[in-house]
Amino acid sequence: MQYRTLGRTGVQVSSLALGAMNFGAIGRTTQDEATALVDAALEGGINLIDTADMYSGGESEEMVGKAIAGRRDDIVLATKATMPMGDERNHQGSSRRWLVTALDDSLRRLGVDHVDLYQIHRWDPSTSDEETLSALTDLQRAGKIRYFGSSTFPAYRIVQAQWAAREHHLSRYATEQPSYSILQRGIESHVLPVTEEYGLGVLVWSPLASGWLSGAVREGREITTSRSTFMPERFDTAIPSNRARLEAVERLAKVADEAGLTMIQLALGFVTAHPAVTSALIGPRTLDHLHSQLAAADTVLSADVLDAIDAIVAPGTDLAAHEKYDTPPALLDPSLRRR
């Protein structure tokens, strides 16, 4: 396992990190299975575990808390807030009112007195940067969080938040957590240059592109990945963007074969090769999934392999741009762009 410094925090984290989104109802995993995944991840050298309050309605945090009991200090523990937690309209967002409550709820579920990294799950356009940053700074000074970060923020919002922290003399976001894979490279043109400029640690999610790069999706095979069962439109090869992904996967599989690599090693080796990336979040549901992904922990792709990937999916290109999560709200909601 490789270890890298998380931004400018001085904290050393593994180049692969365990994402716990599949713990609980979402991944249909039991507590025993979740604990076995944590045990194997730690044995494999992973020292960063990432979850969120909304994963399975809080169940993921509870499972993580039980799995790490007795070894909390050996783990860099991260969680997230802002996504809706129930039907109450104020149980979401990044207001001071909600973040203070949400963090206490997360600490209770995790069974800890602090988290190492607290992340704003999505940018909340209805809340000012000053409001959010001042709340996070106070929570940091209270000892409940060590650092805080953003997740899936557009590049211009990352910049704006850095300026707001400076203007109001507040602590700043130390990390960003964007989606990044061989098939979705758009952040190379805007987000990653910004994170490098401001010295942010970068924890990338979906490096296997929701299973497209797992090796299980190939031409002529029925697609039976877990994600395809509840998001079938993302795997319908009659849709042009999905067809483009499948064609890219077939070409990438040849590159992997010629390099003596699995598709997973190619995919994880690619995202961790970028100098702006600190860690890639893997989200296994089973021990077999975890072991196949841990096999990529020391993968270093040659320049020839990286060039071959660039020839298939050009730098800065998203093959499924409509699946981006950092699109400005006015592009999604007509009422926000019309008088």
Side-chain angles (χ1 to χ4, degrees), residues 2 4 15 261-262 264-270 272-273 293-302:
Q2 304 170 52
R4 300 166 178 179
S15 59
L261 301 169
T262 66
I264 289 174
Q265 288 175 312
L266 186 77
L268 295 179
F270 169 80
T272 56
Q293 293 164 26
L294 282 175
D298 59 356
T299 298
V300 177
L301 302 185
S302 69

Side-chain angles (χ1 to χ4, degrees), residues 254-308:
K254 293 179 181 178
V255 173
D257 287 343
E258 291 172 359
L261 301 169
T262 66
M263 282 290 285
I264 289 174
Q265 288 175 312
L266 186 77
L268 295 179
F270 169 80
V271 296
T272 56
H274 197 292
V277 172
T278 311
S279 298
L281 290 164
I282 57 175
R285 290 189 305 109
T286 69
L287 283 173
D288 285 343
H289 290 166
L290 175 62
H291 290 310
S292 67
Q293 293 164 26
L294 282 175
D298 59 356
T299 298
V300 177
L301 302 185
S302 69
D304 288 345
V305 170
L306 292 171
D307 289 344

